[in-house]
Amino acid sequence: MVQADKKPRKSEKPLTFDLNSYLKQQKDLVEKALDRSIAIARPEKIYEAMRYSLLAGGKRLRPILCLATCELTGGDAEMAMPTACALEMIHTMSLIHDDLPAMDNDDFRRGKPTNHKVYGDDIAILAGDGLLAYAFEYVATQTKNVAPENIIRVVACLGHTVGAAGLVGGQVLDLESEGKPDVTAETLSFIHTHKTGALLEASVVSGAILANAPQEDIDRLSKYAQNIGLAFQIIDDILDITATDEQLGKTAGKDLEAQKATYPSLWGLEKSRVKAQELVDSAIAQLSIYGAKAEPLRAVANYIVTRDR
Ligand code: FPP
Ligand code: MG
């Protein structure tokens, strides 16, 4: 491994971390594992609906973070893959439900018609439920070479993350804040840290738990994740204003239309960009102790602020 602070000798070619090939390689690995994770059974329709959204593409950032953190803290990709897939199942189910007419009423996701547009509201609700339940079953039954108490810690962490203390709570406050002109920065931060940050944090923390990392590492990596989580959502809100439908694979401009509280609506685009960059800098500062080994996590943090989709 190349040390970040070690100057290469003239004859040595400096090794730079290639983020694009890393993300592509990890994404391919995750896509294959996701494809294998759910087979079609009876009743076919529900399995098809679950697979339709799960295999519709996406950045696969949560699984990639889980694998990277597990590897950084001494584990390997094989022990983290079932949890990595479960994180994507949970993320996908949250988007299926978020897109329903009772919530954001969106027609496109990941460049395709949303689950309820293809299968109807009833099956879309059940596809989300099916993915959520299966995520927990998958971690519990498929995780190999990890101490049982650490598998239980991961299951507890995921449960806490998706429930009222995490995604569900953040989504409720998000819906309640729609159309309100006086949403405070504190409420906005609550929405973002719960609705988006919580699952990104769980992705990082679960990878470290699976590797049996000491608590100091888990705490440090949690701070990294909290910072990139908030930055991720700020950039999401900015892209909703600045990017096209084609870039995003979903309808752009929906936040404004639904009068959603966002950082750009509170602070404007420029201050929001500055804030996102500051958060990424703080996230990267948490990684200094790991040297070059943390290059994938540094690169993912940088990708979060530079992405255009
Ligand atoms: C997208 O936000 C939505 C989320 C990040 C999470 C939504 C959470 C739920 C629907 C709760 C799901 C239930 C469980 C049990 C986990 P957005 O609407 O700001 O982004 P978008 O433009 O991509 O839709
Ligand atoms: Mg939405």
Side-chain angles (χ1 to χ4, degrees):
M1 267 294 161
V2 175
Q3 296 298 307
D5 50 357
K6 184 185 152 204
K7 241 179 151 183
R9 272 180 278 132
K10 273 207 176 121
S11 56
E12 279 175 16
K13 205 169 161 234
L15 289 182
T16 48
F17 185 82
D18 184 346
L19 173 66
N20 286 338
S21 5
Y22 172 76
L23 288 179
K24 188 182 175 317
Q25 174 201 308
Q26 296 303 87
K27 188 171 139 102
D28 288 351
L29 210 62
V30 169
E31 296 290 347
K32 289 197 182 91
L34 286 172
D35 192 21
R36 282 193 303 267
S37 70
I38 304 181
I40 306 264
R42 190 171 173 220
E44 286 80 3
K45 195 193 234 178
I46 191 64
Y47 290 96
E48 276 164 17
M50 288 159 70
R51 285 178 59 87
Y52 173 78
S53 292
L54 187 65
L55 303 177
K59 295 178 275 291
R60 311 304 194 190
L61 270 185
R62 291 152 190 84
I64 290 173
L65 280 169
C66 178
L67 299 174
T69 313
C70 187
E71 287 174 332
L72 171 69
T73 51
D76 60 40
E78 207 188 325
M79 56 171 74
M81 193 54 94
T83 301
C85 290
L87 287 157
E88 195 62 27
M89 290 173 200
I90 292 168
H91 176 54
T92 301
M93 77 71 54
S94 79
L95 298 179
I96 295 175
H97 283 192
D98 179 68
D99 289 336
L100 285 166
M103 299 211 209
D104 285 359
N105 194 18
D106 272 309
D107 294 351
F108 289 97
R109 172 73 66 184
R110 293 172 168 171
K112 293 168 75 175
T114 42
N115 200 288
H116 66 272
K117 282 276 156 192
V118 179
Y119 295 97
D121 295 1
D122 47 3
I123 296 297
I125 292 169
L126 292 165
D129 295 344
L131 282 169
L132 182 61
Y134 193 53
F136 286 90
E137 179 185 343
Y138 204 66
V139 173
T141 61
Q142 301 302 313
T143 307
K144 304 284 182 303
N145 306 323
V146 175
E149 68 262 27
N150 285 339
I151 302 179
I152 292 171
R153 284 169 70 200
V154 167
V155 168
C157 167
L158 293 179
H160 184 78
T161 300
V162 299
L167 268 75
V168 168
Q171 180 76 348
V172 169
L173 209 53
D174 186 352
L175 295 171
E176 278 180 4
S177 302
E178 254 179 46
K180 288 194 184 153
D182 54 353
V183 174
T184 62
E186 190 275 321
T187 301
L188 202 51
S189 161
F190 185 100
I191 293 171
H192 287 344
T193 51
H194 289 72
K195 193 181 76 171
T196 313
L199 195 57
L200 287 164
E201 188 176 348
S203 307
V204 165
V205 167
S206 59
I209 292 174
L210 291 163
N212 203 27
Q215 194 57 44
E216 311 89 89
D217 280 322
I218 295 178
D219 292 344
R220 208 177 285 121
L221 292 166
S222 284
K223 285 191 197 126
Y224 158 86
Q226 285 159 10
N227 284 312
I228 62 162
L230 200 46
F232 182 88
Q233 186 61 48
I234 294 173
I235 297 296
D236 229 50
D237 291 348
I238 292 175
L239 289 173
D240 187 73
I241 299 168
T242 59
T244 61
D245 293 5
E246 289 70 34
Q247 259 170 290
L248 298 181
K250 61 185 181 185
T251 314
K254 291 280 291 190
D255 293 345
L256 212 60
E257 191 188 297
Q259 294 181 284
K260 273 209 185 196
T262 63
Y263 274 109
S265 70
L266 198 69
W267 289 344
L269 282 174
E270 214 30 60
K271 190 171 166 197
S272 302
R273 279 199 190 98
V274 170
K275 178 75 180 161
Q277 185 60 56
E278 281 170 10
L279 287 161
V280 164
D281 293 344
S282 305
I284 289 176
Q286 295 296 328
L287 304 173
S288 56
I289 189 168
Y290 303 109
K293 265 201 312 183
E295 219 35 49
L297 290 185
R298 267 184 217 107
V300 170
N302 280 321
Y303 167 73
I304 278 172
V305 268
T306 51
R307 72 197 171 101
D308 65 357
R309 57 198 64 224

